[in-house]
Structure formats: C-alpha cells, structure tokens
C-alpha cells in the first residue's frame, strides 16, 4: 500500500501544539510600538493644527489693526492700458464693431489712393459694372501683367470690346 502524500497537517518536520494549547507568533510587530507610533502621529497633527491656528490668528490681528498708510503705498493711482494685443472684455461688442466697419467698407464709396485716383465702390455697384462692361483685360505685352495685373506698374486695365 502506497504512503499518502504529505499534507500540511502531517508534513514531516512540523511540530504541533498539544490540543488546547494556544500561543501567538513572536515575529509580529509589537503592540507597544504601534501604540507609541500612533501617539506620536497624533501629537504631530495636534501640534501642526495649533501652530496654524496661532499663525492665522496673528494674520487676522494684523489685518484688523488700523494702519492708514499701509494700503496706499506702492498702489498705482492711474492705470495704463497694457500693450497690444489685449484680452477682450466683451467679445460680442467687439465682433459687432468689426462687422459694422466691414459692412461700411463694402457698402460705401471711398478713396483708396486719392493721388492715383483709385476709389472703392460698393460691392453691389461693382457687380453691376462688371455685368455691364465685362471683366477688364490687361496688356499682356508689358512685364508683370500676368502676375500683378499691371496695376502696380501703373498700367490701366482695358475693357474688352463686346461684339453684338
């Protein structure tokens, strides 16, 4: 008959206590060390709270003490605007102002360059003029006519002849 495999209860080399006898493990942490550590931690927490309470009470005392010149020293009496770009305070009003300015430029007449005789016309009028006269043709034999339409060098756009 084969011998049964060892189990923890009947493993070789294990000594068992007699029935009814109980002991604790000697390798555990000492309950006395746990108590003194917890007491030290409680003392540190209470000491920290006491120091902070005294500090905050001192700040309240200093704040309540009247000192007429302390709050005005070094305080600016006028405020200059910071340099551009600035943060927007009212985005909706800023957008409305920009849109009104753009609308005014797109719907009114005005000078672009008075000396050169260049004017701005409303978009609706420009559409009417282009539909009546057609798109302008530029002198292609002059240098730069293909890139800047000759406007920079002073050439004048020519209206194409419409054949009936």
């Amino acid at each position: 008959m084969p011998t049964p495999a060892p189990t923890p209860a009947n493993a070789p080399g294990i000594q068992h206590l007699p029935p009814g006898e109980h002991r604790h493990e000697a390798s555990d942490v000492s309950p006395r060390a746990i108590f003194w550590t917890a007491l030290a931690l409680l003392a540190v927490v209470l000491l920290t709270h006491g120091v902070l309470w005294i500090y905050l009470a001192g700040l309240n005392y200093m704040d309540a003490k009247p000192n007429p010149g302390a709050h005005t020293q070094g305080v600016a009496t006028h405020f200059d605007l910071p340099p551009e770009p600035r943060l927007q305070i009212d985005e909706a009003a800023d957008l409305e102002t920009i849109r009104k300015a753009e609308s005014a430029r797109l719907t009114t007449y005005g000078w672009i360059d008075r000396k050169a005789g260049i004017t701005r016309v409303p978009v609706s009028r420009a559409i009417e003029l282009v539909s009546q006269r057609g798109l302008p043709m530029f002198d292609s034999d002059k240098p730069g006519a293909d890139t800047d339409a000759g406007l920079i060098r002073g050439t004048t756009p020519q209206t194409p002849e419409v054949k009936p």
Side-chain angles (χ1 to χ4, degrees):
M1 170 173 228
T3 46
T7 61
N10 65 2
I14 294 180
Q15 298 175 355
H16 296 284
L17 295 174
E21 188 176 340
H22 302 285
R23 288 190 250 161
H24 68 280
E25 294 184 22
S27 64
D28 283 346
V29 178
S30 167
R32 182 174 293 151
I34 292 174
F35 172 75
W36 288 112
T37 303
L39 191 63
L41 183 62
L42 180 64
V44 167
V45 167
L46 291 176
L47 181 68
T48 303
H49 281 285
V51 167
L52 286 175
W53 183 80
I54 292 168
Y55 176 71
L56 291 174
L59 287 179
N60 284 337
Y61 174 75
M62 295 295 288
D63 202 25
K65 202 169 154 185
N67 192 353
H71 292 293
T72 59
Q73 290 178 340
V75 176
T77 56
H78 68 284
F79 296 100
D80 293 331
L81 291 175
E84 295 283 344
R86 293 187 198 103
L87 296 177
Q88 290 181 318
I89 296 172
D90 188 3
E91 297 89 359
D94 293 344
L95 181 61
E96 185 178 340
T97 303
I98 290 170
R99 286 191 175 161
K100 283 182 181 178
E102 288 174 345
S103 177
R105 287 189 64 161
L106 294 173
T107 58
T108 60
Y109 291 90
W111 287 103
I112 293 176
D113 187 355
R114 189 179 289 256
K115 291 179 184 176
I118 301 172
T119 60
R120 179 183 72 238
V121 296
V123 173
S124 58
R125 179 65 180 141
I127 291 171
E128 290 174 13
L129 291 174
V130 169
S131 67
Q132 291 170 0
R133 300 179 187 170
L135 291 173
M137 299 292 287
F138 298 97
D139 296 333
S140 60
D141 58 340
K142 295 186 179 179
D146 58 338
T147 58
D148 61 8
L151 294 177
I152 295 174
R153 291 182 176 69
T155 60
T156 307
Q158 304 295 319
T159 305
E161 293 181 21
V162 180
K163 295 180 182 174

